[in-house]
Amino acid sequence: MEKFVNQPLKPRSFFTFSLSVLLATFAAALGAQSVEAAKPMALRTIMERLGRDMQAVTGAISKEDWPLVTELAPRIAKHAEPSMSEKMRILAWLGADAGKFRGLDGQVHDAATAMGEAAQRNDGQAVIAAFSKTQQSCLACHQSYRRSFVEKFYGSR
């Protein structure tokens, strides 16, 4: 053992060892990135919840269940938001489109708020009109960003 420690490392052995360490580090980093890319972002969970709430509103409208619409509308208008670090990743990706994205989110907020107010008044026509505006804002956002968002943050799925 003592002979091995005192012997100088040959240049070729040193190169092989260094290359092995470098490749192992690179492979570990790639593995960590693919795990991160595969891990769903909070925004996905938020969108899934919004989808369920929107479907529930559709059912409530069909039954003229205005108290249920009144309950659901604020959940849509004031939906949860991703963590600050996730927001920063999304805003960096959006770049110059961040204002448009926020504007569409604001339209969803305003329309869902109006829907809830109309439901409190038992005004079915106004509920349906506000629900339509809410859906149109959701659709505009999805058509503008969903595909490229999924490709950026989840790869080609």
Side-chain angles (χ1 to χ4, degrees):
M1 176 81 170
E2 204 171 298
K3 283 185 178 182
F4 180 74
V5 173
N6 290 331
Q7 289 181 353
L9 195 56
K10 296 179 184 173
R12 184 174 178 158
S13 298
F14 179 73
F15 175 76
T16 303
F17 175 76
S18 298
L19 185 59
S20 297
V21 170
L22 182 65
L23 288 174
T25 303
F26 182 69
L30 281 177
Q33 286 177 351
S34 65
V35 168
E36 183 178 316
K39 180 182 172 191
M41 296 174 71
L43 186 61
R44 175 172 279 184
T45 304
I46 293 165
M47 290 293 122
E48 288 169 350
R49 174 67 185 260
L50 281 167
R52 287 190 303 271
D53 288 344
M54 292 292 284
Q55 288 176 351
V57 168
T58 301
I61 289 171
S62 71
K63 297 174 193 166
E64 298 180 57
D65 186 348
W66 309 132
L68 182 55
V69 174
T70 300
E71 178 186 328
L72 293 166
R75 290 188 352 201
I76 295 166
K78 299 172 188 166
H79 59 79
E81 295 184 11
S83 68
M84 185 55 71
S85 62
E86 187 170 311
K87 276 187 198 179
M88 297 308 292
R89 285 178 64 201
I90 294 167
L91 291 173
W93 166 74
L94 284 166
D97 278 348
K100 178 183 174 188
F101 183 84
R102 286 183 172 153
L104 291 168
D105 187 51
Q107 289 175 16
V108 169
H109 174 271
D110 294 347
T113 300
M115 179 175 61
E117 292 168 353
Q120 286 177 332
R121 297 188 310 271
N122 295 323
D123 185 346
Q125 291 296 323
V127 168
I128 291 170
F131 181 69
S132 175
K133 287 180 183 178
T134 305
Q135 284 190 308
Q136 289 170 5
S137 297
C138 290
L139 180 63
C141 189
H142 294 171
Q143 288 182 334
S144 295
Y145 303 108
R146 182 170 33 197
R147 181 178 304 215
S148 58
F149 179 89
V150 169
E151 288 174 0
K152 167 68 177 170
F153 293 104
Y154 295 103
S156 57
R157 289 186 189 185

